[in-house]
Amino acid sequence: MHERHTSGRLAQHVAVGAAERRARHHGSAPRRRDAALPAGSVLTLESLQQRYSVSRGVARECMRILESLRMVTSQRRTGICISPEQQWNVYDTRVIRWRLDSRHRAAQLRSLTELRLGIEPIAAHLATLRASADQRAALRAAAQDMRRYGTTHRPLRYLAADIEFHRIILTASGNEMYTALADPIEEVLRESPTHGRSDYPVPETIGFHEAVMEAICTGDPDAAERAMTTLLSDVRNALKLI
């Protein structure tokens, strides 16, 4: 178990180094000696053992993790090659979390917020048309929990209700590809308390969620789509992503 945890941490270090070149290109990361691992860089198990003072087993498991995420490829007689970022499994929650926990946080928040703006308004529209009675009831309950915990300053419970709210809508859309985005979106929602606000949760944000819920529960798909767009545009503005 300890070796698996260590290999996971090592994979995170290598992943962040591989992303360093992109962040530096976009001006979001200062130069750091020996940090960048641009696409095409070649690693070996021996170099990882020496650089991070780990066993060969840990180094091998690290590479297995990164290869499963398409971040590296093993090349016979050459070594382990860093893949271009366009080939990475960027929807994997490990990749998302590693970037959110690194100096690449702003870039990851931007990407996820833009993804949400493209997906969640349509998901809300579809949920209005396809949600079951149980899903509508669960959505109303989640919105009520957000109001209850938001006004009584219980941020962790509020966050749990917020995550559930968005997961219900993605699932109720009836589109399995939207449903598959629930976990990546949960990762960015967990960053909500640090979204550039002095107070969390923000009262008007609760109202935005209630507007989405009411539109879905009363069967107005266009209103649901508009309300979700308003909600997410507020998030984008708070993050200063425009």
Side-chain angles (χ1 to χ4, degrees):
M1 180 64 70
H2 173 72
E3 185 168 285
R4 180 172 297 178
H5 174 74
T6 303
S7 63
R9 295 295 300 173
L10 176 56
Q12 179 177 2
H13 283 297
V14 176
V16 168
E20 182 77 13
R21 187 176 180 85
R22 179 177 184 272
R24 189 178 296 167
H25 174 73
H26 288 284
S28 60
R31 288 192 171 274
R32 186 173 63 177
R33 185 169 61 87
D34 295 333
L37 291 170
S41 295
V42 176
L43 305 171
T44 63
L45 294 180
E46 291 75 16
S47 67
L48 287 173
Q49 287 178 260
Q50 294 173 7
R51 183 170 182 174
Y52 296 102
S53 299
V54 296
S55 70
R56 189 174 183 84
V58 167
R60 184 181 294 110
E61 177 65 11
C62 164
M63 290 300 101
R64 187 195 66 77
I65 292 170
L66 293 177
E67 193 165 17
S68 74
L69 299 173
R70 303 199 300 269
M71 299 184 75
V72 302
T73 56
S74 297
Q75 298 182 349
R76 199 173 176 86
R77 299 180 181 175
T78 301
I80 301 150
C81 186
I82 301 293
S83 302
E85 191 170 15
Q86 293 85 350
Q87 296 179 14
W88 297 0
N89 185 3
V90 294
Y91 291 108
D92 190 283
T93 55
R94 288 168 294 183
V95 175
I96 292 170
R97 175 48 49 193
W98 291 342
R99 295 188 71 199
L100 286 171
D101 288 342
S102 76
R103 65 182 65 203
H104 319 300
R105 179 176 179 275
Q108 182 65 92
L109 285 173
R110 177 180 296 105
S111 297
L112 285 168
T113 302
E114 291 171 353
L115 174 69
R116 296 183 68 194
L117 273 163
I119 295 297
E120 289 194 77
I122 303 302
H125 184 114
L126 294 174
T128 307
L129 303 173
R130 299 172 178 172
S132 67
D134 286 346
Q135 287 172 324
R136 293 176 202 273
L139 186 65
R140 186 175 292 278
Q144 291 171 343
D145 284 345
M146 291 180 72
R147 171 65 64 180
R148 178 183 308 113
Y149 298 131
T151 55
T152 55
H153 308 290
R154 302 169 74 180
L156 292 180
R157 288 186 177 272
Y158 175 89
L159 177 60
D162 190 13
I163 291 169
E164 180 65 10
F165 182 93
H166 290 276
R167 186 177 290 275
I168 290 168
I169 292 174
L170 290 166
T171 302
S173 73
N175 184 312
E176 73 283 359
M177 300 188 78
Y178 284 5
T179 301
L181 293 173
D183 287 343
I185 288 173
E186 176 177 341
E187 288 298 326
V188 72
L189 286 171
R190 291 191 179 282
E191 296 294 301
S192 297
T194 59
H195 278 181
R197 317 262 195 174
S198 58
D199 55 342
Y200 174 82
V202 181
E204 55 263 33
T205 300
I206 300 173
F208 293 150
H209 284 79
E210 288 172 337
V212 174
M213 178 272 294
E214 286 294 344
I216 291 174
C217 290
T218 58
D220 190 337
D222 292 336
E225 184 174 341
R226 287 194 301 270
M228 184 64 83
T229 299
T230 298
L231 189 163
L232 294 174
S233 294
D234 180 68
V235 171
R236 181 178 59 184
N237 292 338
L239 292 170
K240 301 178 174 61
L241 297 178
I242 298 178

